[in-house]
Amino acid sequence: MEQEDTIAAVATAMGESAIAIVRLSGIAAIPIAQQVFRGKRKENITLLPGYTVRFGHFVDLHGETIDQGLLTLFRSPHSYTGEDMVELSCHGGRAIVSRLLETLLQHGARLAEPGEFTQRAFFNGKLDLAQAEAVADLVKAKTERARRVALNQLEGKLSEVIHRLRSDIIGALAAVEVTIDYSDEVGELDYPELEGRLAHICQQALCLANTAHYGRILREGMRVALIGPPNAGKSSLLNQLLQTERAIVTPIPGTTRDLIEESLSINGIPIVLTDTAGLRATADPIERIGIDLALKTAEQADLLLFIVDASDLSSLNTLSPLPAVESKDRPALFLLNKKDLVTNDVLEQAANLVRQKFPHVTDIIPISALTGENIELLRDKLQQITTSSLYGDTEGVMITSTRHSQALQEAVHHLQEALTTTHQRLPGDFIALDLREALNALGQITGETVDDEIIHRIFQDFCVGK
Ligand SMILES: Nc1nc2c(ncn2[C@@H]2O[C@H](COP(=O)(O)OP(=O)(O)O)[C@@H](O)[C@H]2O)c(=O)[nH]1
Ligand SMILES: [Mg+2]
């Protein structure tokens, strides 16, 4: 790679701030810094050891002072990239930062591409690919949980699990190959033993692959759809949960036609709440489109909040079954709204009607979207469901990227194939073929077996200076 280049970039966000950091990495990082830095002690900084900090002035090509600040020096291999590095901390103003960066470029540094510092760290073996990707996830993490998962990945927990899986596969592969190459000495392949071994590996890989679902929830939020007949109080509930007047609420049925999507966070878990058009038979083409969208949203949701008006028993009688609610793949909560308008007897009647129409429903919660009664209970329940959706994680390790998920699925596929051929007592070559493919797929996650084009694409998503 173009490692002979020395790269420079602003590592902090552009704008006004107390300090900003401009980074340099590469063979000429320290000589270039020597050109722009005038330390108080007038030392030759090219002679300083790593992990040294000095106060001084930054000067341009003509020796004119740009700003004052700190220089931090790192010596290869003990730096983020593994190369010689210098960080210049100046005041955080656009003019200062631009001028300083420009001066570094005039002295021969090249502007870094997005993610190039981390890419160099990867090529120099400071981080593997999964860890490098975690750097971007960590910076982008919006909730506590996402931060923790990204940090675990950066610290190598995911890589460890992948390495363990790979070394188990290598063990199995060795056992197969030795019987191919030296059947005279070691005898025949022990099929039952291998089958047990592969079944175990397969199970482990599958477990990890299944965490991808939680990873998506962490990254994009748990998708919660508010659905129900018109006027049940869906928009009122959205407003109540958000504590704002986000959606229009009127007594006129069919007010909400478009989807209204808003995010909130319950105990660090992101939730994307979608208010939808009320479900009913209608001749209005615009409302019809809204209802179709509502049904689609319901099908794609991780959790359904089905809201009905407890004070309107006749509407409950005409509720038609809904495939999305019927499905056992996703949890659904039934909310009997407008609790404030009815007696407990009526509430009980309403609950019975719901149970008749939707026999598998277990959770029915009476609420009032208007007064806020039982909204805390609903929040607790939401948190409970969301947390339990996130509990499949193995040792705090979670698959959060589509790239990793696809690679794991491929590995699982080949492990299952190997298991089948072993079960069928086919010759070792057949088994070895799939085991090698599985190894290859897993190696893509940590970067052992990934091609340059993919690596390039991964680092393109980073911001400059990282
Ligand atoms: N009394 C009472 N009225 C409610 C409650 N929730 C909603 N409403 C009223 O019911 C009507 C329809 O509410 P809206 O949120 O627009 O229902 P949507 O069509 O399901 O979105 C409005 O007049 C609301 O003020 C509630 O809990 N109690
Ligand atoms: Mg509405």
Side-chain angles (χ1 to χ4, degrees), residues 234-235 248 255-256 275-276:
K234 298 176 294 299
S235 299
I248 300 171
T255 306
T256 311
D275 182 19
T276 63

Side-chain angles (χ1 to χ4, degrees), residues 137-155:
D137 291 348
L138 186 57
V139 172
K140 285 182 193 148
K142 289 187 182 63
T143 64
E144 265 302 290
R145 208 158 224 280
R147 180 189 63 73
R148 239 176 291 144
V149 172
L151 185 65
N152 272 345
Q153 190 174 320
L154 176 60
E155 295 193 330

Side-chain angles (χ1 to χ4, degrees), residues 92-152:
R94 279 171 194 276
I96 304 164
V97 167
S98 315
R99 193 74 194 286
L100 187 53
L101 183 62
E102 194 186 294
T103 307
L104 296 175
L105 301 183
Q106 286 165 343
H107 282 295
R110 166 172 70 71
L111 194 61
E113 283 167 32
E116 203 174 357
F117 290 90
T118 310
Q119 189 169 351
R120 287 188 174 196
F122 167 65
F123 283 127
N124 290 326
K126 302 291 288 190
L127 300 168
D128 68 27
L129 202 52
Q131 288 175 302
E133 287 172 293
V135 174
D137 291 348
L138 186 57
V139 172
K140 285 182 193 148
K142 289 187 182 63
T143 64
E144 265 302 290
R145 208 158 224 280
R147 180 189 63 73
R148 239 176 291 144
V149 172
L151 185 65
N152 272 345

Side-chain angles (χ1 to χ4, degrees), residues 402-416:
T402 320
R403 193 182 79 78
H404 297 173
S405 174
Q406 281 167 352
L408 253 173
Q409 273 165 24
E410 202 188 316
V412 168
H413 166 76
H414 287 292
L415 286 169
Q416 278 165 345

